[in-house]
Each structure stands twice: as C-alpha cells, then as structure tokens.
Amino acid sequence: MYHHSASTSHPAAGSVAGVLDPAAADSKDAILFQRCTWCGTAMYHRLLCPVCQGSELRTERSEGVGTVRHSTVVHRNTPAARNVSLIEMAEGFVVRGRVMGPPVGIHSGDRVRLSTAKDPVRGEPVFQLVDEPYRAWT
C-alpha cells in the first residue's frame, strides 16, 4: 500500500474529510458526493476510496442529472407499489433512489433529473424522467 509523506502538499478544491460535508451544498435540493483527491474516483457515502483506499475525500455538489442503471418494483412495507432504482449520475457515482411515475414505466437507460434530494418518508433522493423515450411495441 502506498502512503504519502506528510511533507508533501496536495491542493484540493472543497473540503477534505472522510464524511460528507453538508455545508458544501448551495441548496437543500442537491446531492453531495465525494471525490478522492488521489485518484479522482467519485463515490457516494463512503469512508475510503474503493479504488485506492485513500481517505482524503473532498465533498462536491452533483448537477443532478443521471441515467437509470436498474429499476425494480417493490410491493412490501407500502400501501402501493413503488420503484427503487439505481441511478448512475453524470459525475460517475451510483445512488439509490426513486423515480417519479408509474413503477412499471421506469426502465434501464432512461434519463432522469433530481427532483428533491431527500424524500421525507424514506430519506432517499427522488428523480423525475427528463424525456419520454420512444419504445416501439412495448
């Protein structure tokens, strides 16, 4: 494992910590993520970088645009069916959240935009479809 010298300085934009810094967001409806100062890997809610195991992570604000990587319909612990989706954000990290709309209408590859950063009931981000994709004969 590589350990850097304490005498070496590495400039970083944003705060450097092992946890997310809530003061880095301009508004409450933003997703905060971390970026490793050593290798540049983007991640969501991590203590160490999954690539280089570095602990110097700076907090950044996401633009809120992403693509549905996987979506599933959940029927338990809720009066109505809801979807749970994995969203790959434009910055390169993946976040679990909910996409507004009919649960069976959300598919992999759909483009989404952040609607609210924290659902009041479940505490996870809520997204909305950017545009209705063309699906022939489905």
Side-chain angles (χ1 to χ4, degrees):
M1 178 182 269
Y2 176 77
H3 295 283
H4 70 280
S5 169
S7 63
T8 307
S9 65
H10 297 281
S15 65
V16 178
V19 294
L20 290 174
D21 180 16
D26 294 25
S27 69
K28 64 179 180 176
D29 285 337
I31 292 182
L32 300 180
F33 68 100
Q34 298 128 312
R35 188 173 304 276
C36 179
T37 58
W38 286 96
C39 68
T41 302
M43 66 213 81
Y44 185 69
H45 286 285
R46 289 297 199 79
L47 293 176
L48 296 174
C49 174
V51 175
C52 71
Q53 302 301 310
S55 62
E56 292 184 24
L57 309 174
R58 68 177 179 261
T59 301
E60 295 183 10
R61 182 179 185 268
S62 172
E63 293 297 320
V65 178
T67 304
V68 176
R69 180 187 276 181
H70 177 76
S71 183
T72 188
V73 178
V74 177
H75 296 278
R76 97 187 136 196
N77 297 334
T78 181
R82 63 182 175 87
N83 73 40
V84 176
S85 301
L86 292 177
I87 311 295
E88 186 171 353
M89 302 302 289
E91 292 81 8
F93 65 96
V94 177
V95 63
R96 178 183 153 186
R98 181 173 61 89
V99 179
M100 292 189 297
V104 295
I106 311 301
H107 302 283
S108 296
D110 289 348
R111 295 182 347 183
V112 294
R113 178 175 298 280
L114 181 68
S115 177
T116 181
K118 206 160 209 174
D119 180 21
V121 176
R122 303 236 178 249
E124 53 190 26
V126 178
F127 297 88
Q128 61 187 3
L129 291 171
V130 172
D131 53 5
E132 191 62 35
Y134 173 73
R135 293 196 201 312
W137 297 293
T138 56

